[in-house]
Amino acid sequence: MLRMIGGRLMTTIPSVIGVIIVTFLLTRVLPGDTAAYFAGPAATPQAIAEIRSKLGLDQPLPVQFVSYVTALAKGDLGQSLTTGQPVTADLAARLPASAELTLAGLLLAMSVALPLGVLAAVKQGSWIDHLCRVVATAGVSLPVFFTGLLLVYVFYFLLGWSPAPLGRLDVFASEPPRITGLFLIDSLLAGHFETFRAALAQLILPAVTLGIFSLAPITRMTRASMLAVLGADFVRTARASGLTNAKVIGTYAFRNAMLPVVTTLGMVFSFLLGANVLVEKVFAWPGVGSYAVEALIASDYAPIQGFVLTMAILYVVLNLLIDLLYGVIDPRVRLEG
Amino acid sequence: MITRRTAIAAGLAAPFVAQGKLGAQTPSRAETLLLVQEYGPNSLDMQGIGSSQPVNGVALNCYDRLLRFKPVPIPGGGGNTIAMGELEGELAESWQIASDGMSCTFKLRDATFHSGRKVTAADVKWSLDRACTIGGFATTQMNAGSLEKPEQFVVVDDKTFRVDFVRKDKMTLPNLAVTIPFVFDSELAIKNGGGDPHAKEWLKNNVAGSGAYKVESWKPGVETIYVRNDAWTSGKLPQLRRIIARDIASPSTRRALMERGDADVSYGLPPKDFKDLLDAGKVNVVGVPIPNGVWGCYLNTQVGPFKDVRLRQAVAWVMPYEKLLQASLFGRGVDMSGGPETPKVAWPQPFPYTSNVARAKALVDAAGGGFSTTLYFDAGNATVAEPMAVLIKEALGAIGITVEINKVPGANFRTEIAKKTNPMVLNRFAGWLDYPDYYLFWTMHGNNSIFNIAAYQNPELDKLIDAARFAPDKAAYEANVVDFIKLVNREVPMVPIAQPTHDVALQKAIGGYQFQPCREPDFRYLTKG
């Protein structure tokens, strides 16, 4: 098992190096002059040149690259010009917010999509199968910022059930002591139930937005995979042996149907990190997505490089986890590894 | 009667009430202002390189300057604006211009920094020296008021400070009231500066001032919380004890927060939202025509078809002014067409052009007929500039000029206008110091600043602008202004379209709105309830 993890990790090194080079080049090749942008109003050419040399942008590309990699080796991702803070600190402060939102959205989607998909497969052609199809189509055809705005309009603006979309906490609530950075967990650990409730209330709408968006692929994959398994010989054998329906579906069929679903979950998680960008904008969520977009608009190189690198590492870790999960679900995968 | 808002307020206040003693010390909702804005400061030091627009707000509220602009009522009501040239003391208790008119001596008020130290003339000198020598925007802005070198700033004694003038410049004193020459606690800054004589890194993340507010917490990109400095003596103690400024990127979310009554003040909504809010009447919208600000269409006078002045005039004659004002600014601005032949001493002011297709067509024909060209604008301004560009394209099509619209992302726009090769550019420029010569110095003078988008070069105009900048008396000044406005009326390197309105949405309970040339919220005058 350890050897497998080691081997998988080794294969990721080239991709990480590739990501470093590509992001570096891309941010330089893209049009837009950071120095001109940050020289501010009424900038003279001289002021722009001053800023350029301060940022090291007047150096040749290889020199800039070497200094970037050297700093990177020390864990320094550079300074963000839009927030004025070190990128590492910014990302560390914002990553938990994105993670909490994404995980909440994914859990929500799974808790609806898995039962729905299984039911649709078991009762193929029934009303629940049609419902499944409608939900999947609707979810996937609504752009996430639209769902977000719609939910804000209905549940905050019209009905007033949801709190103001002001980010992770109401303005008058104070943050729980930082342990994991996930407010729901930290507030429980600290025993601040008031804060927990406030954080949960803020989280519901954006998480539902993400959940609706990711419902479709999970439901469809669960349904298709269950259908394939339900038609397999071993299920027929199990039924013929007189096992209860619940046992057949729950233990034999579901477990075997899970492999492709786990793969889909990995993909959906990646989607969600991307979709986050827009949801964070609508709900003023202080996550990494909105951070990266703002940096991109301002030609602020360091945060973009930091963001892409973080995401790349995140995906690598995620893929590794999924590979390991395969082994847990289906021991044959482990042997092959 | 219990309304929804009082219920929310009570609900929000409940935890503080329940906490008893602790609650008594925490400012209640009635003393706290919730401001929502598109984005917040990226530094706490407005003199630093790369400081974003909202940093002006930090400089305004957390630091004191020698002078400040005097509030004057906004003609339509709703609060106060400022009159350029009418000043009152902030750190200065009094000031006196020397009889030869070549220096000004300031008597300092008995003020203390947030650290508890007394403000001295040495602090003022350190701060003004810094602004003059730090480079970038701060130094450029100081130079705009002939504040050019540290030798001009003299410590007479602890409480007396003198500024020597390099020349007589009417903008010198107003320029001391903008958000650049503010006063730092120099000892504190030097102590924490780590050897940097300007303490740039430390002051970027820390406030060392004597202003009416202190920064309690600053999470870049999320929120900035200000608390009142109860020891402030440079003005009337503000009513609000705490200000929470949240960064909310989505304008529709900001509007929803305003309409629901959850946010107290919102800056920077698209003009349509302001118009809708105004029409609905649930919240107040205060609009001030931006002093020294114009939306204009710049026509390149050095390269491309618009080298020919007849074509520039043709564009000025064909602009659908009224439509532009209504469709892109939703009426939130002042029309810049149909002015008198002889200009007034004011900027911006309507040019003598109106929408007259026949006249425009005749000019195009005289210049050799139609052609194709490109119109650029900043994607960051798209809500206003995009409909504007489409209407201009349509109007120019009628006189045989085919326009291709080119929307440039914000980061590239500066690069584009710096090239000075684009034939047509839509842009909004607003100068802090409200003088005609100031605006033209940046946008049409031969110094060719980045905002001279038309790349206009005319020694005659330069001479008039320079003469106006340092005119010895009012009559000479006014004569120069009239002459150079006449000249640009005729030459039209830029077709002025509208003077935009600076709008702010406030709940009905919020009073004391104060407009400042830096266009950031001034918390010191705001009241609630």
Side-chain angles (χ1 to χ4, degrees):
Chain A
M1 187 78 164
L2 274 179
R3 257 191 67 194
M4 182 191 146
I5 298 177
R8 288 282 288 110
L9 276 180
M10 288 301 283
T11 58
T12 60
I13 291 175
S15 23
V16 173
I17 292 177
V19 167
I20 293 175
I21 296 174
V22 169
T23 48
F24 176 83
L25 287 179
L26 261 186
T27 47
R28 261 67 177 180
V29 170
L30 288 173
D33 185 348
T34 316
Y37 191 77
F38 279 93
T44 58
Q46 183 203 346
I48 296 176
E50 249 170 62
I51 290 169
R52 185 167 291 127
S53 85
K54 241 173 225 157
L55 297 173
L57 293 173
D58 54 344
Q59 302 286 328
L61 271 193
V63 177
Q64 289 186 37
F65 185 69
V66 168
S67 61
Y68 170 62
V69 174
T70 321
L72 200 60
K74 293 181 210 144
D76 175 10
L77 289 169
Q79 286 266 334
S80 159
L81 297 172
T82 33
T83 64
Q85 302 301 307
V87 172
T88 326
D90 273 346
L91 287 177
R94 287 165 166 266
L95 210 51
S98 289
E100 188 168 40
L101 178 57
T102 312
L103 286 174
L106 193 66
L107 285 178
L108 212 67
M110 277 167 65
S111 61
V112 176
L114 290 183
L116 200 60
V118 170
L119 279 177
V122 172
K123 301 200 185 324
Q124 201 190 347
S126 70
W127 66 270
I128 198 136
D129 195 13
H130 294 304
L131 176 75
C132 171
R133 198 167 296 128
V134 169
V135 165
T137 316
V140 87
S141 47
L142 290 173
V144 16
F145 69 89
F146 177 77
T147 322
L149 285 175
L150 191 72
L151 291 180
V152 168
Y153 181 68
V154 173
F155 291 100
Y156 166 64
F157 190 75
L158 288 183
L159 299 173
W161 293 354
S162 168
L166 276 169
R168 299 178 82 185
L169 274 180
D170 181 75
V171 276
F172 281 83
S174 53
E175 276 184 29
R178 196 183 174 93
I179 303 163
T180 59
L182 306 180
F183 281 4
L184 290 185
I185 296 176
D186 287 356
S187 56
L188 282 185
L189 288 176
H192 295 176
F193 298 107
E194 198 63 32
T195 314
F196 176 80
R197 236 181 36 212
L200 184 65
Q202 295 289 133
L203 186 64
I204 290 174
L205 282 196
V208 168
T209 310
L210 282 182
I212 291 176
F213 173 70
S214 51
L215 219 50
I218 307 177
T219 322
R220 303 218 69 135
M221 192 45 87
T222 312
R223 179 178 176 274
S225 171
M226 275 303 278
L227 275 180
V229 172
L230 285 174
D233 288 346
F234 71 90
V235 172
R236 210 179 327 145
T237 314
R239 283 197 206 278
S241 315
L243 292 174
T244 59
N245 208 19
K247 182 102 181 158
V248 171
I249 294 166
T251 315
Y252 290 83
F254 185 66
R255 185 176 171 134
N256 278 288
M258 275 319 280
L259 268 189
V261 175
V262 167
T263 317
T264 316
L265 282 183
M267 266 161 52
V268 168
F269 190 78
S270 327
F271 279 167
L272 285 190
L273 282 174
N276 246 347
V277 171
L278 294 168
V279 176
E280 285 176 6
K281 279 269 180 199
V282 172
F283 291 93
W285 203 261
V288 284
S290 51
Y291 177 64
V293 170
E294 248 122 68
L296 200 58
I297 291 169
S299 300
D300 193 358
Y301 297 150
I304 304 170
Q305 287 163 345
F307 172 78
V308 175
L309 197 61
T310 315
M311 285 297 140
I313 292 171
L314 218 67
Y315 286 156
V316 166
V317 172
L318 189 72
N319 278 319
L320 187 65
L321 282 179
I322 288 170
D323 282 1
L324 295 178
L325 206 56
Y326 277 2
V328 174
I329 295 172
D330 187 349
R332 283 170 303 173
V333 178
R334 210 171 340 175
L335 290 178
E336 282 155 22
Chain B
M1 198 180 88
I2 298 170
T3 64
R4 199 188 62 242
R5 284 197 50 206
T6 49
I8 291 173
L12 287 164
F16 303 109
V17 176
Q19 281 163 4
K21 238 183 165 175
L22 187 72
Q25 285 156 8
T26 319
S28 69
R29 173 124 179 135
E31 293 171 299
T32 303
L33 182 92
L34 176 60
L35 167 95
V36 290
Q37 55 189 1
E38 187 182 357
Y39 61 99
N42 65 347
S43 158
L44 301 177
D45 172 16
M46 190 55 215
Q47 293 182 0
I49 297 277
S51 293
S52 60
Q53 162 69 23
V55 186
N56 287 301
V58 179
L60 188 66
N61 293 294
C62 300
Y63 285 98
D64 288 333
R65 287 136 293 273
L66 285 171
L67 303 172
R68 66 169 159 250
F69 298 114
K70 203 169 177 175
V72 295
I74 295 170
N80 286 314
T81 177
I82 59 110
M84 191 64 52
E86 281 190 51
L87 300 164
E88 58 183 33
E90 197 156 274
L91 275 178
E93 201 169 54
S94 64
W95 68 98
Q96 180 76 48
I97 294 181
S99 52
D100 65 350
M102 286 308 284
S103 70
C104 183
T105 306
F106 299 86
K107 272 278 171 222
L108 298 187
R109 209 187 280 281
D110 207 22
T112 41
F113 287 113
H114 299 161
S115 66
R117 241 188 86 236
K118 290 272 174 231
V119 178
T120 67
D123 294 303
V124 182
K125 173 161 175 63
W126 189 82
S127 309
L128 266 53
D129 284 358
R130 185 181 193 264
C132 264
T133 53
I134 196 166
F137 173 60
T139 302
T140 312
Q141 183 65 39
M142 292 296 277
N143 291 348
S146 297
L147 298 163
E148 292 166 1
K149 41 186 192 281
E151 297 86 81
Q152 285 178 260
F153 310 121
V154 184
V155 175
V156 179
D157 61 48
D158 250 14
K159 288 275 160 227
T160 319
F161 178 76
R162 194 178 77 230
V163 176
D164 292 335
F165 301 158
V166 285
R167 63 184 76 84
K168 281 185 190 166
D169 183 343
K170 65 184 174 304
M171 287 183 236
T172 302
L173 288 185
N175 204 30
L176 284 173
V178 302
T179 51
I180 288 295
F182 53 89
V183 176
F184 294 99
D185 184 341
S186 63
E187 280 183 18
L188 191 65
I190 292 167
K191 198 176 77 194
N192 290 293
D196 173 10
H198 289 146
K200 288 196 282 284
E201 206 42 49
W202 189 75
L203 286 172
K204 192 166 129 185
N205 293 296
N206 296 278
V207 167
S210 58
Y213 285 90
K214 305 181 222 184
V215 170
E216 180 188 84
S217 94
W218 174 44
K219 283 187 227 137
V222 183
E223 71 177 358
T224 315
I225 299 177
Y226 302 86
V227 284
R228 188 174 70 192
N229 165 21
D230 288 334
W232 193 52
T233 49
S234 302
K236 185 171 167 283
L237 195 68
Q239 188 218 41
L240 293 164
R241 285 178 58 188
R242 201 153 183 260
I243 313 281
I244 301 172
R246 277 256 172 139
D247 306 345
I248 308 230
S250 155
S252 40
T253 306
R254 291 202 297 279
R255 179 172 161 184
L257 288 166
M258 285 306 293
E259 290 200 40
R260 288 281 303 182
D262 285 342
D264 294 315
V265 179
S266 175
Y267 266 62
L269 291 172
K272 178 166 192 325
D273 286 323
F274 278 119
K275 185 181 176 288
D276 291 349
L277 286 174
L278 197 67
D279 292 347
K282 271 194 289 182
V283 299
N284 289 335
V285 173
V286 184
V288 177
I290 297 178
N292 230 260
V294 193
W295 265 106
C297 180
Y298 290 79
L299 302 168
N300 199 312
T301 57
Q302 297 297 317
V303 289
F306 296 110
K307 272 162 76 178
D308 189 329
V309 66
R310 288 171 297 186
L311 290 174
R312 301 203 295 270
Q313 287 169 345
V315 174
W317 279 117
V318 82
M319 283 282 177
Y321 295 97
E322 182 56 29
K323 257 199 230 165
L324 289 171
L325 185 59
Q326 295 310 328
S328 62
L329 288 166
F330 292 86
R332 306 301 297 156
V334 181
D335 185 4
M336 285 288 117
S337 72
E341 278 301 326
T342 312
K344 291 176 285 185
V345 185
W347 188 268
Q349 63 172 306
F351 274 21
Y353 299 92
T354 50
S355 309
N356 184 336
V357 182
R359 229 169 142 170
K361 185 88 181 71
L363 281 161
V364 173
D365 291 342
F371 55 91
S372 297
T373 187
T374 321
L375 173 62
Y376 287 79
F377 66 86
D378 182 350
N381 289 327
T383 41
V384 173
E386 193 145 35
M388 231 178 225
V390 173
L391 286 171
I392 292 174
K393 179 190 166 101
E394 188 190 307
L396 288 180
I399 53 168
I401 303 176
T402 314
V403 176
E404 188 195 321
I405 295 173
N406 204 335
K407 178 172 165 182
V408 189
N412 306 358
F413 186 70
R414 280 284 166 83
T415 320
E416 279 299 327
I417 60 175
K419 282 193 217 156
K420 299 182 189 291
T421 51
N422 298 313
M424 283 179 101
V425 179
L426 269 176
N427 192 39
R428 193 193 94 172
F429 181 83
W432 281 356
L433 300 174
D434 191 15
Y435 295 96
D437 37 321
Y438 187 73
Y439 192 99
L440 266 62
F441 178 76
W442 288 114
T443 59
M444 290 170 206
H445 191 275
N447 69 14
N448 223 4
S449 100
I450 187 165
F451 293 109
N452 186 350
I453 302 172
Y456 189 62
Q457 300 287 334
N458 184 344
E460 194 191 338
L461 182 69
D462 295 357
K463 225 171 80 193
L464 288 168
I465 294 174
D466 292 339
R469 279 188 80 194
F470 310 118
D473 58 66
K474 203 162 171 245
Y477 174 71
E478 292 185 346
N480 279 315
V481 170
V482 168
D483 282 351
F484 70 59
I485 296 183
K486 255 192 205 156
L487 196 149
V488 296
N489 272 349
R490 195 169 67 236
E491 285 274 299
V492 274
M494 184 256 306
V495 182
I497 294 168
Q499 179 183 19
T501 311
H502 180 263
D503 287 320
V504 178
L506 311 116
Q507 295 297 343
K508 295 248 152 127
I510 309 294
Y513 171 71
Q514 173 67 52
F515 175 85
Q516 293 287 355
C518 68
R519 303 187 291 278
E520 284 299 311
D522 193 335
F523 305 133
R524 300 172 300 180
Y525 300 91
L526 287 178
T527 58
K528 188 169 177 177

